[in-house]
Amino acid sequence: MADRRTPGTGLAPPAQRVAAGGRPRRPSGEAGPAQGVTQLEGRHAVLEALRAGRPLRKLMVARTAAGTGGLRAVIAEARRRGVPVHEVTPAVLARLATTRTPQGVIAYAAVRDTVDVDTLLEIARSRGEAPFVLVLDGIEDPGNLGAILRAADATGVHGVVIPRWRAAGLTPAVATASAGAVEHVAVAAAASPAQVVERLKRAGLWVVGADPAAAQALYEVPLRPPIAVVIGGEGRGLSRLVRERCDLLVRIPMYGRVASLNAAVAAALVLYEVRRQMQAAPARA
C-alpha cells in the first residue's frame, strides 16, 4: 500500500446541526420535543447519553416500569445529574414515542451536533493514533446506521462520516438502534462522500471500499491505519464516484447462496478485520 503522510489542515467551519426526523401528531396537552430538541428512546440509549454527559432536559418514564431493574439505573443516573424525571402512564408514553421500543423511557435532549471531517482526524492525532475512519456512502435505514455506529464504537473507530442528504441522519431511531453508541462516536456530515474520500487521501489515509465484485477478498490484503473504510448503501452499494476514488476494493467471501450481506453486518466484518490486523502488527505512523 502507498503510505500517505501529509498531515491534515486546520478545522473547518462550525459543524452543521442535524435535527431529528418528523414525529407523529399528538393529542393536545401532551408535550413533545420543542424546536431544537430531539427525543431519545430506550434504556440503553438514554443511559449512555447520561453517562456521556449529554445535556438532557427531562426524562419521561412509564409509571408501571419505574421500579424495574433496567429503569432504576437510568432514573438513578438522571437524578444524580440533576435531570428531572416525570412518571407518566404507559399510554401517554406510547403516544409520545416515535419508535416501537421506548422500553419505558423517553428523554428530551438538545439536538446533537455533527462535526467536520477534520475533527475526526484531530481526534486521532490527540490520542497519538493513526486515523481509523468509517465513511458511509448512502445508508438510508436508521436501524442499519444505528448498528453501524455500535460496531464503530466497539472497534475503536475515530469517527464516522455520513452524507448530509439522501441518507439516514442522527434520529431517535438511530440512537435507539445504536444502543447508546451514538453518544460516544464522533459523526461528521458531508455533502459529498466522494469529496470526503479525496480529503482523506490527501490527509494520508488509505481508502478501502467494500464491494462484492472486488477481485481481492477482505483477508488477503493488509488493512491497518491510517485507513478509511467505505461502506455503500443498501441495495446499490458504492456509488460510481466513490468506487472510482477508492485506493482498493475488497469483498467479503460468501460461502452460501446469498450474494451479499446486510450493510451493518458488512461494516462490522470489515471493521473487525482492521482491528484484528492492528492487534497483529503496529499501525503505520
Side-chain angles (χ1 to χ4, degrees), residues 15-20 23 36-40 49 52 54-56 108-115 119-120 123 145 149 153 158-160 162 169-172 174-175 178 180-189:
Q16 177 184 358
R17 189 173 296 272
V18 177
R23 296 177 174 83
V37 174
T38 193
Q39 187 166 306
L40 302 177
R54 184 171 181 182
L56 299 183
Y108 297 114
V111 174
R112 182 187 172 189
D113 286 340
T114 55
V115 300
T119 297
L120 306 185
I123 290 171
L145 178 55
L149 292 177
D153 177 62
H158 293 116
V160 178
I162 62 175
L170 299 183
T171 64
V174 170
S178 77
V182 70
E183 302 297 335
H184 304 290
V185 178
V187 178

Side-chain angles (χ1 to χ4, degrees), residues 66-150:
T68 61
L71 271 184
R72 276 202 302 267
V74 176
I75 294 171
E77 186 68 18
R79 288 175 174 161
R80 188 175 74 82
R81 294 179 179 272
V83 179
V85 177
H86 302 279
E87 293 188 9
V88 297
T89 66
V92 168
L93 199 77
R95 284 195 294 268
L96 293 172
T98 61
T99 69
R100 295 181 179 180
T101 55
Q103 298 176 319
V105 60
I106 294 174
Y108 297 114
V111 174
R112 182 187 172 189
D113 286 340
T114 55
V115 300
D116 55 81
V117 174
D118 286 326
T119 297
L120 306 185
L121 302 177
E122 182 58 36
I123 290 171
R125 284 195 291 268
S126 69
R127 298 176 184 174
E129 299 171 350
F132 181 15
V133 176
L134 175 62
V135 179
L136 303 180
D137 183 19
I139 298 297
E140 298 179 353
D141 181 74
N144 273 338
L145 178 55
I148 289 170
L149 292 177
R150 193 171 183 178

